[in-house]
Amino acid sequence: MKKCIVLMGIKHCGKSTQANFLSEYFKIPSFDTDDLIFELTGKTPRQIYTELGEEGFKNAEKSACIELKSRLEKIQQTENSKKYIAVAATGGGICNNAEAIKLLSEIGILVFLNADERTAANRIVKEVKIDVDGKLFNLPAYIAKENPRTISDVRESFHKFYVERQKIYRSICNICVDMKNAPKSENRDSIIESLSKTE
């Protein structure tokens, strides 16, 4: 069953936005593995990562992918004639979860949304909060654990992860789509065009 469009990429590359666009375009349901994690555990991915560490989070992410696969199997029973039966947005670090990737590759076509580093970093920096002691918070877990003290530190940490994850995503994806600093609908059209080339 390779009927799900699985969107992957670093945080803030546009996965959730494009999942909604593609859902509307193809008239198919949209899922988000982070939302499924919350449904199954009652906790956000960030809470799980903080409380249970990387291994605990990977287990929760794998469970979300199992749940996604189960839901898709039910949808396929009634929508089998469609080329795509759903679209799913995934968490930014799923590339490091081999078991989750294996499950996703069984149910869908893996689409890497390749975002410009500066654009993605700016989006992360925009969300950073600073408490009265000058400590930074509201950071992605992989940056927070590096204990950045300044915005410059945040950008430096992000750069390392960006380079590392770019390599991994390129190695596991079926399709790579460069996300432009353009209207969101233009990026949606680029994804649709890339998908059509695999048909």
Side-chain angles (χ1 to χ4, degrees):
M1 178 178 68
K2 290 261 190 183
K3 293 206 164 192
C4 184
I5 303 165
V6 180
L7 304 182
M8 309 177 130
I10 58 169
K11 184 176 174 67
H12 290 307
C13 70
K15 299 182 295 287
S16 297
T17 298
Q18 292 303 325
N20 290 332
F21 268 117
L22 293 169
S23 169
E24 190 177 321
Y25 180 85
F26 288 112
K27 303 290 187 277
I28 54 177
S30 173
F31 296 96
D32 189 306
T33 55
D34 284 353
D35 291 343
L36 289 173
I37 287 172
F38 187 79
E39 275 187 46
L40 295 171
T41 67
K43 295 180 180 179
T44 66
R46 191 171 290 185
Q47 285 174 315
I48 293 173
Y49 198 100
T50 301
E51 294 172 18
L52 303 177
E54 186 175 356
E55 214 46 50
F57 174 71
K58 281 184 175 180
N59 288 334
E61 201 167 45
K62 178 186 172 186
S63 295
C65 291
I66 291 170
E67 176 65 19
L68 174 63
K69 185 176 182 181
S70 172
R71 293 189 189 189
L72 292 180
E73 285 169 351
K74 288 174 185 170
I75 294 170
Q76 190 174 25
Q77 290 171 6
T78 56
E79 300 288 351
N80 199 35
S81 61
K82 288 186 175 180
K83 177 156 183 66
Y84 304 113
I85 59 170
V87 56
T90 58
I94 204 163
C95 58
N96 288 321
N97 191 335
E99 292 185 343
I101 292 297
K102 184 176 184 297
L103 282 161
L104 293 172
S105 66
E106 291 168 2
I107 61 175
I109 182 161
L110 309 185
V111 182
F112 169 38
L113 304 186
N114 181 26
D116 168 70
E117 179 181 353
R118 187 172 179 179
T119 302
N122 286 344
R123 288 172 181 164
I124 285 172
V125 166
K126 191 176 177 183
E127 292 186 352
V128 174
K129 304 277 191 293
I130 305 173
D131 68 17
V132 289
D133 299 325
K135 187 176 179 184
L136 307 180
F137 64 101
N138 201 38
L139 292 159
Y142 63 88
I143 291 178
K145 72 179 183 181
E146 304 261 314
N147 295 314
R149 299 188 177 200
T150 65
I151 294 298
S152 179
D153 289 347
V154 171
R155 289 185 181 276
E156 191 176 327
S157 292
F158 178 74
H159 173 71
K160 287 187 286 184
F161 277 92
Y162 179 86
V163 171
E164 173 194 317
R165 287 185 172 174
Q166 287 288 101
K167 288 179 185 172
I168 300 171
Y169 274 120
R170 285 184 183 280
S171 71
I172 61 176
C173 72
N174 301 117
I175 296 173
C176 175
V177 181
D178 292 332
M179 303 298 282
K180 304 171 193 141
N181 189 11
K184 292 168 183 171
S185 58
E186 192 174 318
N187 283 318
R188 175 206 61 194
D189 292 344
S190 294
I191 296 168
I192 292 167
E193 184 183 352
S194 295
L195 285 166
S196 69
K197 289 176 182 174
T198 67
E199 294 175 7

